[in-house]
Amino acid sequence: MTSAAEIFAAHVSRPLSAPVEANVFAPSNIALSKYWGKRDKALNLPLNSSLSISLGQWGTETRIAPADVDSLVFNAELMAKDAPAAAKVWTFVDLFCGDNRPALAIETTNSIPTAAGLASSASGFAALTAALDAAFQTDLPKATLSMLARFGSGSATRSFWHGFVRWDAGQADDGTDSYAYPIDAALPDFRIAIVAVDTGPKAQSSTDGMTHTVATSPLYAPWPARAEADCAAIEAAVWAGDFATLGQLAEDNALAMHATMMAARPAVTYLKPQSWAVLDTLWAARRDGLQAFATMDAGANVKLIFEDPSTADVQSLFPDAQIINPFEAPPAGSV
Ligand code: PMV
């Protein structure tokens, strides 16, 4: 069986050259067809493909510079090396660099408002992987960066491009065919609204939630095939520029994912009463003609997708929602 260290050693040529200063931005992303379930935990391989939309200017900027001692500054705060989030970062850096790596100063900043309550592991591990590649001038193809970032977080595979991105589950035992690529069809009117319900840390990590669901939910068995079909249908709708089909499929896919969790024993419940209240309001407005759809991840917040002509209606229903144009110009230094 191949280990994570062997995969990195096979793709990142060693010895590494001396690091230079590098600064990279990677966008966050939201899955329209969800990744839920791992076929291999050690290699972080998914049971199904997924398709996302990147969040334009919302993401993570990471700067890496040579240093005398290791340091990690996250959102202007120096992190202890053994703090859980920092430990994940250093484990990843060690995997990328191999033995005897030089000390590094890493500075990482999220442009995602904390109030939006969005997880930042997708953009965080994509920016970290791309910054390591730039700092050590390893010049890896984006597909390889995406494959390697998977070891930090599955959703990070999709954060190397703007717009629509598909992560193929792949079939190889060593996971070298499990990475993402862009779906180069722009829908310039596409908009996202983040309706924040709960901005605190999540009660259960996505890894724990999906592992428990796969192990105990009687509704999980049909999920991988359903998710694969949804992914293909959403991709076709993107290419066709058919927003209504895309939106309905994305909402159905998210609710089906949450249904697999609710049937787990005991249930995995990320949605809160307020999430359901947002859905009720949305569905009532949709009956009155609004073309907007919802998607929810491993948390209580609700993300709406719609087209620009509906922006004013969405804003009047959810005045505190943050509206994102995923096709606005990316920030300088973006992947
Ligand atoms: O890869 P993670 O640990 O960020 O898990 C992502 C899980 C979902 O957000 C629920 C779905 C997805 O495809 O992003």
Side-chain angles (χ1 to χ4, degrees), residues 118-207:
L118 283 188
S120 54
S121 66
S123 53
F125 278 102
L128 178 64
T129 312
L132 285 165
D133 177 60
F136 290 102
Q137 297 162 283
T138 39
D139 228 4
L140 296 170
K142 270 188 169 188
T144 306
L145 294 178
S146 165
M147 191 271 289
L148 296 177
R150 197 190 70 229
F151 290 86
S153 162
S155 53
T157 54
R158 303 184 305 240
S159 273
F160 288 88
W161 297 270
H162 288 266
F164 297 100
V165 180
R166 183 184 157 114
W167 171 20
D168 273 346
Q171 296 186 338
D173 285 344
D174 68 359
T176 45
D177 58 353
S178 183
Y179 54 82
Y181 53 90
I183 306 295
D184 270 328
L187 269 62
D189 273 352
F190 197 98
R191 296 290 180 273
I192 300 155
I194 312 284
V195 186
V197 166
D198 183 352
T199 58
K202 45 181 135 171
Q204 189 172 21
S205 73
S206 43
T207 291

Side-chain angles (χ1 to χ4, degrees), residues 34 36 213 216-223 226 251-271 276 296-297:
K34 309 290 186 190
W36 196 247
T213 302
T216 71
S217 172
L219 294 193
Y220 187 79
W223 167 262
R226 178 75 265 156
E251 186 175 295
D252 293 346
N253 176 274
L255 288 166
M257 175 183 73
H258 283 274
T260 70
M261 301 182 204
M262 278 181 251
R265 301 176 179 191
V268 176
T269 50
Y270 290 111
L271 302 178
W276 292 106
M296 297 78 66
D297 293 289

